[in-house]
Amino acid sequence: MKCHFHSVDFPSKTIAALWLAGALLLAAASVGAGELPALVLNDPNEPPFTTTDGQGFLDLVAGEAFRRAGVRLQLVRLPAERGLVNANAGLEDGDLTRIAGLEASYPNLIRVPEKLADWEFSAFSTQGPRHAGWESLRTRSLGHIRGWKIYEHKLAATPAEITAENAAQLFRLLRLGRIEIALFERWQGLARIEREQLAGVQVLEPPLARREMYIYLHKRHAALVPRIARALRDIKAEGLYDRLYREKVLSLAGTPGR
């Protein structure tokens, strides 16, 4: 028995359509395999909130919220002021933790309305007194990180004020006696005291301010904002948020200087 095979000529448009369909299927399979699109956010945090191994409190909480929203969180570390400027310009996709209200100065940024964390803005010193208040600081030499808006606004025109590019530089100024007060965040400061064994550096009481911190995204990602907010609410309702906070942050409660 002879078999006869007949060639079929497909129109070029049909071939192109088949090729495109195959490419889309391959792309879908790749995403399904875990290759979520990445969003790059500036990270102004230090341990215990974010760590180099990606196991900090906010690494885990924000990373999980982004995953549930269908994207992958990628963090970069830029100086605080430059991070905001870049995010507003769209060079990065957003900023991980900022106080509410920055939309007024950076109109291209949209705030995810569910808070990510609470920051305790605090004063650190190698001297007394143990009590800190905004007015008492004005008479002392102090430093803070450039781009931390709460300190820039509260202490505008303070005579003896020095700005640092990062926390390492800020605490170096304190150790060298260039400033009497280092203005930072409580938990990140306590982690730095423990990590670098900064004998004599203490956190002053009470905290100067407690503020809710939020994720900001560039406006091109507006569709993701409600999805990330919903994911954060779910993470809190499930108890995961509180459990990670106890494990990653409150474990520092016994650090010397608190």
Side-chain angles (χ1 to χ4, degrees):
M1 177 183 297
K2 293 183 178 180
C3 297
H4 299 279
F5 296 91
H6 299 279
S7 62
V8 179
D9 294 326
F10 289 99
S12 58
K13 289 184 178 180
T14 302
I15 294 173
L18 289 170
W19 182 89
L20 179 58
L24 290 174
L25 285 172
L26 286 173
S30 176
V31 171
E35 294 298 324
L36 296 176
L39 262 65
V40 179
L41 270 64
N42 184 48
D43 171 27
N45 297 273
E46 290 203 346
F49 291 138
T50 59
T51 59
T52 55
D53 62 1
Q55 294 300 303
F57 173 62
L58 295 184
D59 289 311
L60 299 175
V61 169
E64 176 63 11
F66 275 57
R67 186 192 67 77
R68 294 186 187 193
V71 291
R72 178 168 54 88
L73 175 61
Q74 181 178 336
L75 298 176
V76 295
R77 186 174 296 278
L78 299 172
E81 183 64 32
R82 191 196 311 166
L84 275 175
V85 172
N86 280 13
N88 189 63
L91 300 179
E92 276 81 45
D93 296 302
D95 202 292
L96 185 62
T97 42
R98 293 287 179 167
I99 60 175
L102 292 186
E103 305 94 320
S105 301
Y106 301 90
N108 291 330
L109 297 181
I110 301 175
R111 178 167 58 93
V112 175
E114 183 68 23
K115 77 169 182 179
L116 181 62
D118 290 309
W119 271 19
E120 297 184 19
F121 291 90
S122 300
F124 292 81
S125 180
T126 57
Q127 309 171 22
R130 293 289 295 171
H131 174 78
W134 291 115
E135 290 307 315
S136 67
L137 294 178
R138 294 184 182 278
T139 62
R140 308 182 71 178
S141 61
L142 53 87
H144 61 80
I145 296 174
R146 184 179 296 111
W148 283 40
K149 298 303 179 183
I150 186 170
Y151 292 136
E152 291 180 355
H153 295 161
K154 289 284 189 179
L155 298 167
T158 298
E161 176 187 7
I162 296 177
T163 57
E165 288 298 321
N166 52 51
Q169 186 180 96
L170 178 66
F171 279 85
R172 189 179 308 119
L173 290 170
L174 181 63
R175 294 199 311 273
L176 293 175
R178 295 279 307 280
I179 55 176
E180 296 176 79
I181 300 289
L183 300 173
F184 197 48
E185 193 281 327
R186 170 188 290 277
W187 297 106
Q188 296 172 74
L190 290 175
R192 180 167 283 275
I193 289 172
E194 181 179 46
R195 187 169 67 252
E196 297 187 358
Q197 299 183 347
L198 301 179
V201 178
Q202 57 188 332
V203 60
L204 304 186
E205 301 290 356
L208 295 163
R210 289 182 175 88
R211 293 289 187 273
E212 295 180 339
M213 307 298 288
Y214 297 89
I215 298 169
Y216 281 82
L217 296 182
H218 189 270
K219 62 184 180 182
R220 66 173 173 265
H221 301 300
L224 283 173
V225 168
R227 288 156 56 183
I228 294 173
R230 183 169 57 251
L232 285 172
R233 287 193 294 270
D234 290 344
I235 288 169
K236 293 173 183 178
E238 293 163 9
L240 177 60
Y241 186 97
D242 285 343
R243 178 174 65 80
L244 289 173
Y245 192 79
R246 289 193 301 271
E247 292 176 3
K248 302 294 183 175
V249 180
L250 293 184
S251 59
L252 288 168
T255 301
R258 186 171 193 267

